[in-house]
Amino acid sequence: MSRVTVLVLLAACGVPLASGCDRAPAPPKPATPAQVPAPSPRLVDTPTLELSADARSGTSADGTYTVKWEVVGGAIPDAEPFAIAFAVTRKDGKPVADDAEVLVDAEMPHHGHGMNFTPVVRRQGGDTFVGEGLLFHMPGRWVLAIDVGEDGVRERTQWIVDVE
C-alpha cells in the first residue's frame, strides 16, 4: 500500500495528520455505538403529526397501548439514516403521560445485533412522536420496537420489517 493511500485512508477515518515529521497524530478516542451521535434527518417541529392510512399498527404486549408508525418520507432508505413518525394511544382513552419514557430500537435477531446508533425520540405534541436517527445498515429481517413506559411499567410493541 503506498504512502498516499495510507494517508487518504487515515484522513477518511478522521485521523488528524501531522503537518511535520516531528509530530505524531493524536490517538483516536474509542467510542461505543451508544456514544456516537446518530446521523439524523432534521424535521420541522409541528404541533401534531398526521399519519397516513398506510401507517402500520400494533398493540403493546399487555394491551395497554396501540401504536401506529410510518417512515418519514415514505420508504426506508438503503443503509441511510431515517426517521419514523408514530402515535401512541392508550386503550383506556387517557392521554399518554407527559413524563412517559418512549424509546425506539431495532435489532436483527438472526444476526444477533441491533443498530449501530441509538435513535432519539421527540414528542411532537399530544400523543405523536418522531424517532430520528434509525439506521438499518444491512438488508435482512429487522424487528422494530417502540417501548412506552408509564408509572414504572414499560410495554413493548414490535413489528417485523424486511429490508431488501
Side-chain angles (χ1 to χ4, degrees), residues 27-112:
K29 295 180 183 178
T32 62
Q35 294 172 325
V36 177
S40 174
R42 297 305 306 162
L43 301 176
V44 176
D45 288 325
T46 58
T48 59
L49 290 172
E50 293 293 327
L51 297 176
S52 75
D54 295 330
R56 293 184 67 179
S57 181
T59 302
S60 62
D62 288 335
T64 304
Y65 306 99
T66 297
V67 181
K68 293 182 179 183
W69 70 274
E70 64 187 359
V71 176
V72 174
I76 296 172
D78 185 25
E80 294 288 330
F82 65 96
I84 62 169
F86 60 99
V88 179
T89 55
R90 293 180 54 98
K91 289 286 188 173
D92 62 11
K94 296 179 185 175
V96 175
D98 289 339
D99 63 349
E101 182 180 27
V102 180
L103 305 171
V104 174
D105 199 6
E107 65 179 344
M108 293 189 89
H110 294 110
H111 291 260

Side-chain angles (χ1 to χ4, degrees), residues 114-140:
M115 294 185 296
N116 293 332
F117 300 101
T118 302
V120 174
V121 174
R122 295 185 301 120
R123 195 171 201 151
Q124 292 295 109
D127 292 340
T128 60
F129 300 83
V130 172
E132 299 176 298
L134 286 88
L135 176 64
F136 292 174
H137 59 274
M138 62 186 293

